[in-house]
Structures are given as structure tokens and as C-alpha cells.
Amino acid sequence: MRIGILGSGLMGGKLGTLFARAGHEVVFSYARSERKLKRLAREAQGNAKAGTPGEAAREADALLLAVHWSRVDDVLKQAGDVSGKVIVSCSLPMNADDTNLVIAHTSSGAESLAKKVRRAHVVSAFGTVPSEVLFGVFAAKRKASRPSLVYCGDDAAAKQLTAGLIRDVGFDPVDVGPLRIARYTEPFTLLIARLAYEGEGGPELAYRFERFD
Ligand SMILES: NC(=O)c1ccc[n+]([C@@H]2O[C@H](COP(=O)([O-])OP(=O)(O)OC[C@H]3O[C@@H](n4cnc5c(N)ncnc54)[C@H](OP(=O)(O)O)[C@@H]3O)[C@@H](O)[C@H]2O)c1
């Protein structure tokens, strides 16, 4: 698949790298320096290049939206027409100093995003784990028990595509339902962030659901 990365920071840089290593064609876009985008493309060791958000979006089968909430409008404007595209978003609706959600309970960042891009198919995924764990999960891909990763969305085909990407990174995709369930997954991320960044064990943290039938 062709995957455009909108926001090549901690999340976008790492996920784009892993998508390329899993065999996808990746375009890294939206950083403050083009040199950084080129370095990411080089170091991804796969089929990856640097581009503008417009180039990343143009022929993409899927776009990963990985920017701070305050940059969403800007990057979408630069991306141009995203009609019919799958937009996988890990972006959380955080305030400027990243201490609180600015949308919650009655809506979610993912639903608010879907309203901005009504003709695209938004899936909320990857936002519930810290970037620091992504390479470790990928490296452990062949192990029998993979960590879970929740995702939600309203379009079945977009969700299926996203589940494939989640598997490619090394997680076990857990479909938690329609996009409005992001009202629960987004605050859940603050719990994960607390354990990752304020707990004892460090940020290389993922989670796994288990059933006991
Ligand atoms: N980090 C995590 O562990 C984590 C986990 C879950 C969810 N999230 C969510 O995922 C999203 C991305 O987080 P992140 O930590 O990956 O953020 P980040 O590292 O700050 O990455 C954001 C990207 O946007 C670029 N950018 C910012 N302002 C720009 C501008 N004016 N022009 C061009 N590019 C600009 C940054 O450029 P530079 O590369 O030049 O800085 C960077 O590449 C956020 O919504 C966050 O809440 C993050």
C-alpha cells in the first residue's frame, strides 16, 4: 500500500518507518525541516521518500495523521483533497501544554476530525500507546502473545485496512466499534501516558486484553 505520513515526529516518524519496513510505500511529510524528512526516508530502509503533505496525500491508500491537535487544520489544508481517503489518526485533542483533552465525553478528537473531512474515512488507531514502545513491539512480532491495540471507525473497509497496518506493526488489532468509541479510547490514553511517563517502569509500555471463557 501507499501510505502518506502527515506529521513526521515521534509517532509519524516511527510508524512510517515501520510501515516501510513491513513492505509499504511511504511518503514522510510535515516536519519543520525537509532534511529531517529525507533522513527519515533514508533510514527507513524500505520504499520511503520525503514529500509535501500534498504529495503524501495524492496517491495514498491511507494517510496517517500524527500532528499536535493545534496543527490539524494546517496539515489538512496543505494535504488538499482527501475525499475517499482512509485517514488513520493517532492525534489526540490535547491542549497546548499537553496536560488535558480539549474534547471529551460528548465528543472526541476523532469525531471532530471526521467532521472536518466529511468525505474521508477516519479511523482512530495507534494513539493509545506511547511512541517509545513501537519499535519494541515490531521487534517482538513473531512472539505468540502480541499486545492489543484498540481501533474504531465507521467505515468497514477503512477499518479492515487499518487492522492490517496494526498487525504489520506487531499488535493484535481490537475492533472496539464505531468512531464515537474514541470518546473512551482517548481518555484511556491519558491513563497509559500516566503509567508510561510517570510510572516506575519507563515508557516502553503496551497493553493486552485477555478473556477467560
Ligand atoms: N508521542 C506519543 O507517544 C504519542 C502517543 C499517542 C498519541 N500521540 C498523539 O499523536 C500526535 C503526534 O504526536 P507526536 O508526539 O508524534 O508529535 P511530534 O513529535 O511533535 O510530531 C509532530 C510533527 O508535526 C511537525 N510540525 C509541528 N509544527 C509544524 C509546523 N508548523 N510546520 C511543519 N511541521 C510541523 C513536527 O515537526 P518537527 O519534526 O520538525 O518537530 C513533527 O514532525 C499528537 O496528536 C499526540 O497527542 C502521541
Side-chain angles (χ1 to χ4, degrees), residues 9-70:
L10 291 171
M11 291 297 279
K14 287 177 183 152
L15 285 169
T17 297
L18 297 179
F19 294 154
R21 289 188 186 163
H24 298 294
E25 203 178 318
V26 168
V27 180
F28 289 102
S29 80
Y30 205 71
R32 276 165 283 215
S33 89
E34 207 195 330
R35 262 180 56 199
K36 179 184 177 180
L37 297 174
K38 286 190 170 150
R39 179 175 52 75
L40 277 170
R42 209 171 42 244
E43 290 177 358
Q45 298 161 5
N47 191 349
K49 61 183 181 188
T52 63
E55 287 162 351
R58 204 160 301 139
E59 298 199 351
D61 299 300
L63 288 165
L64 176 75
L65 182 69
V67 294
H68 189 272
W69 195 243
S70 58

Side-chain angles (χ1 to χ4, degrees), residues 6-13 29-33 36-37 65-69 71 74 78 90-94 98 126-132 189 197:
L6 301 176
S8 298
L10 291 171
M11 291 297 279
S29 80
Y30 205 71
R32 276 165 283 215
S33 89
K36 179 184 177 180
L37 297 174
L65 182 69
V67 294
H68 189 272
W69 195 243
R71 308 305 313 167
D74 184 50
Q78 290 191 37
C90 69
S91 296
L92 295 166
M94 301 301 287
D98 279 325
F126 294 111
T128 51
V129 287
S131 70
E132 288 85 348
T189 303
Y197 302 116

